[in-house]
C-alpha cells in the first residue's frame, strides 16, 4: 500500500496537506526527521501512516498521559491497532497490552518519556522489532521551549541501548532557532531532514477588539455562537475565575482550567470539554499542550498573551479540522502591565528577561498596528508572504482612513526631543495629553512646551499616532525591558518642516460579534443555510459518542459533518466520497448518518 491509500482507507482524506507526504516519505526511507508544523497542521498523520507501513512497532513518546487514552481511542476507532502503557493502566491491563505487543497485534504504542526508565518496558522493547521512535512535542527537550521536561533528555541514551537503531521522528510546533538546535542535539537525530511547515492557517480569522467592555463582548459573542465549542483564555487565574463565574451565573455551559485547581477538577473539565458536555472552557495558558479537540470553533483571549508564539499556539487550537475558526483578542493597554509583571516575577535571569520583554513588545505591536494581522504573524515566524494584505482578518476588513498628521507628528517629535530619549511611550503620551499624574509632577513635565498640546485627542489616539511615528521612522524605540523612544534624523528633518506626514487609522467598528464570513477562505462549506442539518448530524454524533464513551469529534470532525450537510449523501456509496469518511468509519457509522440525512430531507 502507498501512503495515499492509507490516508484514504484509514483516515478518509483524499489528499495530503502541505508537507505531510514529504515527512512520511522521509521516515519511510529510513531517514530521521524533524518536523516543525503549526498546531492543527496535521502532524499525527505524518507519523501514524509510516507506522502502519513499516514492519514492527512504532513507539510514540508523548508528554501527557492524560491525552493518551483519547489519542489511542481515536486510532482504534479507525481500526488502527494502537495502545498505550502508562501509570494509569492496571496491572492486568498492562499485562494484556504487553502480550498483544509481543504477539505483533499492536503497531503503535504510546508512552510518556518517564516510561523509558522502566526496566521491564525496556526489556520488551529490546526484544521486538522497533522500527520507529517518534518524539511528539519535541520542544519539551529544550530549556528554551515553553514546556521543558527533563525526562525528554534521557530519550537519546535510551535509544542508544536498543539492539538496532530505529528511525526517529521529532514533531513540534515551536520554531525558534535555539529550540530547533536543542531538538537535533539532545534527541540525537542523525542525518535528519528538517521540515518547517507553512504557518498560514487560512481557515482562521484573526481579529483584535480594542474598545468597549470585554465582558459584554464575550456575552454577546457567546449568545451569537450558541452550541459552538470555544476556549476563552485569561492571563491570570483571577481573570479566569472572574469570567467563569459570570458565565456560570448566566447559565452558560462553561468549565474552567488553571493551575490553582486540583488535578481531578482539571481532568474533569478537560474531559467534559472534549466530550462536548461543556461548550466553553475558560482557562489560563495551563490549558494547552495536547488539547486534541478538533472542533473548537473560536478562541477568545480576554487579555493579551506574553508573546506571539504563545498567542499563535493558543489561537491555533481553533479550526483544526479545517472548518472555519475565529481567533479574537480583546486588547487593552492594561494587559501590557500584567504581562510585564508576570515576566518580572517568573523570569529571574536578566538576559532571559530582556528576551521576553522584547517578545512582549512585538506582541504589543501586533495588537496596536494597522497592519494585516496574518501578514504580521507569518513574517514573525520567518515567512515571506507574496502579498501585503490577506483581506481576511480584522485589520484588513476594517476601514482605514489616511489623515494628514503633520502638525501632530511635529509636536510628538518635539516632545520626544525634549525628553532626550530617556522615557518611554507612555510618558510621551501623558505629556502630550496634558495628564496631571504623579510622574509628570515628579519630573515637572507640566512645563514642557508640548504639554497638553494634543489634549483634544484620547490617550489611545495619541498612542496610535506616536506608534505610527515609530513605524514611519521618525522615532525609534529601544529594545529591552523598558523601551524608550528617541528622535531619528528623519524625525529631526520632519520637525524642521520637511515633508508632510500622512498616517493611517483604523475606523473601529462597533463591537461586532457576528462571525466574519465575508471572505471565507476555508474549504469547508459552513453555510448558515446548512446549519439545521449540521445541527441534526451533530446530535446524532453526540448520541453515538456517548454510547461508545468517546469524544464526538473522534467519530467525525465538524468539517466532515459540514460536508455531509452540503452533499447530502443518500447512499453508502455517496457517503464514501465525503472527506473524512474512511472504509472503517463508513461501515461503522455510515448507515446512521445516511438515515439521519434522509429523514431530515423529508
Ligand atoms: P496537529 O497535531 O498538527 O496539531 P492533528 O494531527 O491533530 O494536528 O490534525 C488536525 C486535524 O487535521 C485532525 O482533525 C486531522 O484529522 C485533520 N487532518 C490531518 N491531515 C489531514 C488531511 N490530509 N486532510 C484533511 N484533514 C486532515
Amino acid at each position: 500500500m502507498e501512503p495515499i491509500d492509507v490516508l484514504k482507507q484509514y483516515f478518509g482524506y483524499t489528499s495530503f496537506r502541505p508537507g505531510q507526504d514529504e515527512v512520511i516519505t522521509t521516515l519511510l526511507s529510513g531517514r530521521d526527521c524533524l518536523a516543525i508544523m503549526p498546531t492543527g497542521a496535521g502532524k499525527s498523520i505524518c507519523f501514524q501512516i509510516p507506522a502502519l507501513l513499516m514492519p514492527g512497532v512504532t513507539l510514540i513518546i508523548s508528554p501527557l498521559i492524560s491525552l493518551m487514552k483519547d489519542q489511542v481511542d481515536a486510532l482504534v476507532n479507525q481500526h488502527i491497532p494502537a495502545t498505550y502503557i502508562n501509570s494509569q493502566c492496571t496491572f492486568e491491563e498492562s499485562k494484556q497490552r504487553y502480550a498483544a505487543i509481543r504477539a505483533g497485534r499492536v503497531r503503535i504504542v504510546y508512552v510518556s518519556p518517564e516510561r523509558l526508565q522502566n526496566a521491564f518496558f525496556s526489556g520488551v522493547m529490546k526484544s521486538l522489532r522497533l522500527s520507529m521512535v517518534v518524539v511528539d512535542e519535541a520542544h519539551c527537550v529544550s530549556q528554551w521551549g515553553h514546556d521543558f521536561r527533563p525526562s525528554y533528555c534521557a530519550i537519546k541514551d535510551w535509544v542508544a541501548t536498543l539492539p538496532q537503531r530505529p528511525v526517529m521522528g521529532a514533531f513540534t510546533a515551536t520554531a525558534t532557532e535555539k529550540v530547533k538546535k536543542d531538538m537535533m542535539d539532545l534527541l540525537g537525530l542523525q542525518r535528519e531532514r528538517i521540515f518547517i511547515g507553512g504557518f498560514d492557517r487560512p481557515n482562521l480569522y484573526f481579529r483584535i477588539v480594542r474598545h468597549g467592555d470585554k465582558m459584554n463582548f464575550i456575552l454577546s459573542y457567546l449568545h451569537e455562537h450558541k452550541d459552538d465549542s470555544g476556549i476563552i483564555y485569561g492571563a491570570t487565574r483571577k481573570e479566569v475565575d472572574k469570567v467563569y463565574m459570570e458565565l456560570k451565573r448566566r447559565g452558560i455551559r462553561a468549565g474552567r482550567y488553571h493551575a490553582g485547581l486540583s488535578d481531578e477538577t482539571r481532568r474533569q473539565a478537560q474531559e467534559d470539554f472534549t466530550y462536548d458536555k461543556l461548550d466553553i472552557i475558560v482557562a489560563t495558558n495551563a490549558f494547552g499542550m495536547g488539547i486534541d479537540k478538533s472542533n473548537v470553533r473560536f478562541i477568545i483571549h480576554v487579555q493579551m498573551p506574553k508573546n506571539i508564539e504563545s498567542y499563535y499556539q493558543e489561537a491555533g487550537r481553533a479550526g483544526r479540522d479545517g472548518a472555519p475558526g475565529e481567533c479574537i483578542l480583546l486588547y487593552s493597554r492594561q494587559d501590557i502591565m500584567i504581562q510585564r509583571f508576570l515576566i518580572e516575577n517568573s523570569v529571574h535571569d536578566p538576559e532571559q528577561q530582556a528576551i521576553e520583554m522584547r517578545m512582549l513588545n512585538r506582541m504589543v505591536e501586533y495588537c496596536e498596528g494597522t497592519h494585516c494581522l496574518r501578514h504580521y504573524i507569518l513574517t514573525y515566524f520567518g515567512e515571506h508572504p507574496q502579498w501585503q494584505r490577506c483581506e481576511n482578518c480584522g485589520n484588513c476588513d476594517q476601514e482605514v482612513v489616511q489623515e494628514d498628521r503633520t502638525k501632530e507628528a511635529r509636536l510628538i517629535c518635539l516632545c520626544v526631543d525634549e525628553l532626550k530619549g530617556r522615557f518611554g511611550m507612555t510618558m510621551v503620551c501623558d505629556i502630550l495629553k496634558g495628564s496631571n499624574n504623579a510622574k509628570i509632577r515628579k519630573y515637572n513635565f507640566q512645563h514642557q512646551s508640548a504639554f497638553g498640546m494634543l489634549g483634544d485627542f484620547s490617550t489611545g489616539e495619541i498612542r496610535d499616532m506616536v506608534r505610527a511615528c515609530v513605524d514611519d521612522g521618525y522615532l525609534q524605540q529601544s529594545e529591552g525591558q523598558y523601551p524608550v523612544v528617541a528622535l531619528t534624523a528623519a524625525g529631526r528633518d520632519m520637525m524642521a518642516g520637511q515633508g508632510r506626514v500622512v498616517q493611517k487609522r483604523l475606523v473601529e467598528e462597533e463591537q461586532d460579534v457576528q462571525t466574519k464570513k465575508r471572505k471565507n477562505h476555508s474549504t469547508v462549506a459552513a453555510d448558515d443555510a446548512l446549519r439545521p442539518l449540521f445541527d441534526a448530524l451533530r446530535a446524532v454524533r453526540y448520541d453515538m459518542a456517548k454510547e461508545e464513551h468517546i469524544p464526538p469529534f473522534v467519530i467525525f470532525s465538524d468539517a466532515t459533518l459540514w460536508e455531509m450537510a452540503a452533499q447530502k449523501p443518500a447512499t453508502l456509496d455517496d457517503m464514501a466520497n465525503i472527506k473524512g469518511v474512511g472504509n472503517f468509519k463508513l461501515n461503522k457509522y455510515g448507515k446512521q448518518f445516511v438515515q439521519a440525512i434522509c429523514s431530515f430531507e423529508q
Side-chain angles (χ1 to χ4, degrees):
M1 253 214 282
E2 293 295 316
I4 186 80
D5 303 322
V6 180
L7 182 75
K8 282 182 192 151
Q9 176 159 349
Y10 286 91
F11 298 92
Y13 299 129
T14 44
S15 56
F16 283 113
R17 288 195 181 150
Q20 285 180 325
D21 46 352
E22 285 99 325
V23 175
I24 292 170
T25 317
T26 303
L27 289 170
L28 285 174
S29 76
R31 268 186 81 169
D32 287 358
C33 190
L34 168 62
I36 303 171
M37 296 170 150
T39 316
K43 285 187 277 298
S44 327
I45 278 181
C46 295
F47 51 80
Q48 287 161 354
I49 290 184
L52 286 172
L53 289 171
M54 283 178 185
V57 170
T58 288
L59 187 67
I60 303 194
I61 302 172
S62 163
L64 292 183
I65 58 173
S66 58
L67 271 182
M68 286 176 196
K69 185 174 175 317
D70 287 348
Q71 285 165 336
V72 167
D73 281 351
L75 289 172
V76 170
N77 202 40
Q78 278 157 305
H79 224 43
I80 295 173
T83 192
Y84 63 91
I85 294 181
N86 66 29
S87 52
Q88 284 173 359
C89 303
T90 62
F91 178 71
E92 205 43 48
E93 277 170 346
S94 302
K95 213 168 98 186
Q96 279 172 6
R97 289 175 194 191
Y98 278 122
I101 296 170
R102 278 201 161 113
R105 279 184 276 119
V106 170
R107 305 294 298 281
I108 300 181
V109 182
Y110 278 81
V111 291
S112 70
E114 288 77 15
R115 177 75 17 189
L116 307 184
Q117 308 310 317
N118 179 303
F120 184 75
F121 171 80
S122 292
V124 174
M125 289 300 130
K126 283 178 197 167
S127 71
L128 300 168
R129 174 154 192 191
L130 194 57
S131 302
M132 179 164 69
V133 171
V134 170
V135 185
D136 200 8
E137 310 289 358
H139 62 272
C140 289
V141 77
S142 170
Q143 288 194 330
W144 295 89
H146 38 86
D147 311 300
F148 176 57
R149 280 273 285 272
S151 51
Y152 265 68
C153 300
I155 296 175
K156 181 179 175 179
D157 291 344
W158 185 82
V159 170
T161 65
L162 296 171
Q164 218 184 357
R165 187 179 184 280
V167 60
M168 287 188 73
F171 291 82
T172 179
T174 306
T176 58
E177 278 307 314
K178 279 207 161 77
V179 178
K180 201 163 98 189
K181 189 167 176 320
D182 280 356
M183 287 188 290
M184 294 189 293
D185 296 347
L186 303 175
L187 291 173
L189 302 184
Q190 294 175 6
R191 291 196 321 121
E192 72 278 351
R193 285 193 64 191
I194 301 174
F195 295 91
I196 301 183
F199 271 72
D200 192 14
R201 300 280 309 278
N203 63 319
L204 298 186
Y205 187 96
F206 289 89
R207 242 177 109 184
I208 293 171
V209 175
R210 301 175 178 88
H211 298 290
D213 182 75
K214 293 185 179 191
M215 201 60 224
N216 278 348
F217 179 91
I218 293 173
L219 292 171
S220 340
Y221 188 90
L222 297 187
H223 185 74
E224 282 293 318
H225 296 84
K226 281 203 187 89
D227 299 332
D228 276 355
S229 265
I231 306 175
I232 301 178
Y233 277 110
T236 60
R237 295 178 197 178
K238 200 170 127 207
E239 185 68 21
V240 167
D241 286 337
K242 193 181 101 190
V243 175
Y244 168 77
M245 296 297 184
E246 187 62 30
L247 300 190
K248 282 309 256 189
R249 204 170 66 78
R250 292 172 188 260
I252 294 170
R253 297 197 314 163
R256 78 180 137 170
Y257 192 107
H258 60 61
L261 302 167
S262 72
D263 284 355
E264 178 49 26
T265 314
R266 282 192 285 169
R267 195 198 56 75
Q268 190 64 48
Q270 175 157 353
E271 182 177 312
D272 289 349
F273 183 60
T274 309
Y275 284 68
D276 285 356
K277 288 180 195 151
L278 293 174
D279 295 325
I280 310 294
I281 198 121
V282 191
T284 58
N285 59 6
F287 186 64
M289 189 164 57
I291 305 306
D292 221 1
K293 188 172 158 70
S294 74
N295 63 334
V296 175
R297 299 270 65 91
F298 60 85
I299 308 280
I300 298 178
H301 279 80
V302 194
Q303 287 152 322
M304 174 186 69
K306 66 177 181 166
N307 55 41
I308 305 262
E309 279 88 349
S310 314
Y311 179 62
Y312 205 50
Q313 192 168 48
E314 286 158 14
R317 296 196 174 111
R320 288 169 79 153
D321 50 13
E326 208 170 4
C327 311
I328 305 172
L329 199 162
L330 308 181
Y331 175 69
S332 72
R333 302 247 346 122
Q334 240 181 347
D335 300 348
I336 308 176
M337 308 303 152
I338 295 170
Q339 289 301 349
R340 277 213 183 117
F341 177 84
L342 292 175
I343 293 173
E344 276 162 8
N345 286 282
S346 63
V347 183
H348 301 297
D349 172 39
E351 207 176 309
Q352 182 72 18
Q353 209 179 72
I355 294 174
E356 302 237 349
M357 289 294 177
R358 266 206 292 279
M359 289 159 101
L360 174 61
N361 293 342
R362 296 293 306 273
M363 185 75 231
V364 175
E365 205 173 83
Y366 171 81
C367 295
E368 292 190 345
T370 53
H371 44 242
C372 162
L373 298 176
R374 195 182 307 279
H375 191 275
Y376 189 92
I377 293 173
L378 295 180
T379 326
Y380 182 87
F381 287 116
E383 293 192 10
H384 305 284
Q386 297 300 304
W387 37 267
Q388 284 303 313
R389 292 164 62 82
C390 71
E391 305 301 348
N392 187 35
C393 72
N395 282 8
C396 283
D397 276 346
Q398 246 170 66
E399 199 189 325
V400 176
V401 287
Q402 308 233 358
E403 288 164 327
D404 188 321
R405 291 284 184 221
T406 313
K407 193 173 108 227
E408 290 79 6
R410 286 196 181 133
L411 286 167
I412 290 168
C413 288
L414 170 71
C415 179
V416 170
D417 194 30
E418 285 185 341
L419 294 176
K420 304 212 174 347
R422 286 180 296 130
F423 291 88
M425 256 193 209
T426 307
M427 182 60 95
V428 175
C429 296
D430 285 350
I431 295 173
L432 288 159
K433 175 76 188 160
S435 306
N436 178 23
N437 63 31
K439 254 186 144 175
I440 296 260
R441 288 196 301 274
K442 176 175 163 198
Y443 293 104
N444 257 326
F445 283 159
Q446 60 277 46
H447 304 303
Q448 292 259 338
S449 29
F451 185 79
M453 293 297 260
L454 296 182
D456 289 343
F457 291 93
S458 72
T459 315
E461 286 168 331
I462 299 176
R463 197 169 174 94
D464 289 345
M465 290 189 273
V466 178
R467 185 162 284 284
C469 285
V470 175
D471 293 343
D472 293 342
Y474 299 124
L475 303 177
Q476 71 187 21
Q477 193 175 18
S478 66
E479 299 278 0
Q481 196 157 349
Y482 293 103
V484 293
V485 280
L487 199 60
T488 63
R492 204 166 287 287
D493 291 346
M494 190 266 291
M495 235 171 89
Q498 276 180 28
R500 304 215 67 73
V501 179
V502 177
Q503 291 185 349
K504 287 189 206 153
R505 182 170 61 84
L506 292 175
V507 182
E508 290 281 339
E509 289 177 9
E510 295 279 289
Q511 280 202 353
D512 187 355
V513 291
Q514 298 286 345
T515 293
K516 304 288 174 175
K517 289 197 189 119
R518 273 167 270 174
K519 298 173 202 80
N520 189 349
H521 282 229
S522 118
T523 47
V524 177
D527 185 338
D528 266 348
L530 303 173
R531 165 84 47 190
L533 178 51
F534 171 80
D535 284 341
L537 296 175
R538 184 156 68 170
V540 172
R541 177 180 72 174
Y542 184 78
D543 291 341
M544 287 168 122
K546 213 163 143 188
E547 221 163 86
E548 286 193 47
H549 302 290
I550 53 175
F553 65 86
V554 166
I555 295 188
F556 288 127
S557 72
D558 278 10
T560 301
L561 295 193
W562 277 115
E563 200 177 322
M564 283 185 201
Q567 305 295 334
K568 304 187 182 52
T571 63
L572 282 180
D573 279 350
D574 295 344
M575 185 59 98
N577 293 326
I578 300 287
K579 260 197 221 128
V581 184
N583 282 359
F584 184 69
K585 286 191 184 177
L586 179 72
N587 293 334
K588 193 163 175 195
Y589 305 119
K591 213 162 134 196
Q592 271 169 282
F593 282 89
V594 167
Q595 269 168 4
I597 292 166
C598 293
S599 52
F600 189 86
E601 289 284 281
Q602 281 154 15

